[in-house]
Amino acid sequence: MPVHVSIHDVTPAWAAEVDAALQACAEVGIKPGLLVIPNYHGAWPLDDHPDYARRLRQWQADGHEIFLHGYYHLAGADRRASATAGNAAPRGLRKLWAQKVVSGGEAEFSDVDEAEARRRLDDGEAVLRRAGLEQLDGFIAPAWSMPPWMHAVLRERGYRYTEDHLHVYDPAAGARRTSVVLNYASRTPARLWSSLIYCRLARPARRFLPARVAIHPADMRHEVLRKEIRGLLRWAVGDAVVPARALVEA
């Protein structure tokens, strides 16, 4: 089955770590998709980093897909009260799961209502256009977490790719496919080692399902994860695909 490789959290804040992940991919001839954050945690606006925007343009010209990856990649940032009708932000257990279990308070699109989600998509798309990135290959929510009504929003805007923990989607076509995602978590030693074990155990699922390898910049700060990622990339060679939406069609 096909495998898609991506680097999450592409921002000037993680420039050195993103470079290390790109180098690891280049060593085996894989061109990963790049998930770009327009203003990481509200402190790293891409508009203020023209040199990094230039690098993004070059990566896109070299064949890397570019995905919009939220706006702030942070829950609770700059929320504005909405005076318009629309879907509400997730609450209760859904919000707790998104912010405390699958992320450390970074599930941005599981913390906003529909009007605010639309504003952040507008603002994020505008930032990437100003950076010279005219084509976007999809939208992927931070922490793979967004409410179900976001699919209609993405379909309306013509997005051809998105994903969550369990599925890959072509919103414009209304298509969905189950997919296994392999990624590491390094916020705590327990998460690091449990995610490492999970990735080793989950690899055989690729015989039945399309797979995703998701590299996070923080992974590159740990020698054990750098080694695991290189092994995972070698495992993906030969079946790595571009574009990501090929997973939906597999």
Side-chain angles (χ1 to χ4, degrees):
M1 283 289 190
V3 182
H4 184 263
V5 178
S6 62
I7 300 175
H8 287 226
D9 306 349
V10 176
T11 161
W14 291 104
E17 292 82 1
V18 169
D19 284 351
L22 280 166
Q23 178 59 35
C25 292
E27 288 171 2
V28 294
I30 289 176
K31 284 189 182 294
L34 305 177
L35 279 59
V36 181
I37 305 170
N39 186 1
Y40 178 66
H41 284 199
W44 291 86
L46 188 57
D47 285 332
D48 291 351
H49 296 271
D51 288 345
Y52 206 77
R54 177 186 56 78
R55 297 192 71 196
L56 288 168
R57 291 193 298 273
Q58 185 59 58
W59 287 330
Q60 186 173 59
D62 289 342
H64 292 272
E65 295 172 282
I66 299 291
F67 301 93
L68 178 60
H69 192 39
Y71 187 81
Y72 297 111
H73 204 293
L74 183 69
D78 189 31
R79 283 184 296 190
R80 289 159 282 186
S82 175
T84 61
N87 290 292
R91 298 179 180 178
L93 289 176
R94 183 184 290 271
K95 181 175 181 178
L96 180 67
W97 175 264
Q99 306 302 345
K100 301 299 183 182
V101 179
V102 301
S103 82
E106 292 190 311
E108 176 184 7
F109 276 72
S110 281
D111 192 50
V112 294
D113 63 16
E114 182 179 341
E116 180 63 14
R118 289 178 179 275
R119 280 193 289 263
R120 294 194 189 188
L121 287 172
D122 286 339
D123 292 348
E125 291 167 4
V127 168
L128 298 193
R129 281 197 302 271
R130 289 196 295 271
L133 303 167
E134 294 298 331
Q135 176 183 330
L136 294 182
D137 294 284
F139 169 83
I140 299 174
W144 288 295
S145 183
M146 62 185 182
W149 48 257
M150 273 293 295
H151 289 274
V153 174
L154 296 176
R155 180 168 59 251
E156 174 188 310
R157 302 171 84 95
Y159 276 96
R160 296 299 311 276
Y161 185 79
T162 191
E163 61 185 44
D164 57 28
H165 284 94
L166 299 177
H167 300 95
V168 290
Y169 305 83
D170 181 339
R176 181 183 79 169
R177 188 176 178 99
T178 303
S179 169
V180 61
V181 62
L182 306 176
N183 74 291
Y184 302 100
S186 59
R187 278 189 286 140
T188 66
R191 285 177 178 266
L192 188 156
W193 289 104
S194 62
S195 64
L196 187 154
I197 293 168
Y198 162 77
C199 285
R200 291 188 179 183
L201 293 176
R203 291 186 192 189
R206 171 182 158 194
R207 289 182 292 175
F208 312 103
L209 299 171
R212 290 166 283 154
V213 173
I215 304 170
H216 288 81
D219 300 341
M220 308 310 292
R221 293 185 169 182
H222 302 272
E223 183 178 356
V224 64
L225 293 186
R226 291 196 299 271
K227 181 179 179 181
E228 288 293 313
I229 286 167
R230 284 184 163 83
L232 200 53
L233 291 171
R234 290 193 297 271
W235 168 85
V237 166
D239 288 316
V241 294
V242 177
R245 67 175 179 271
L247 298 182
V248 187
E249 301 160 358

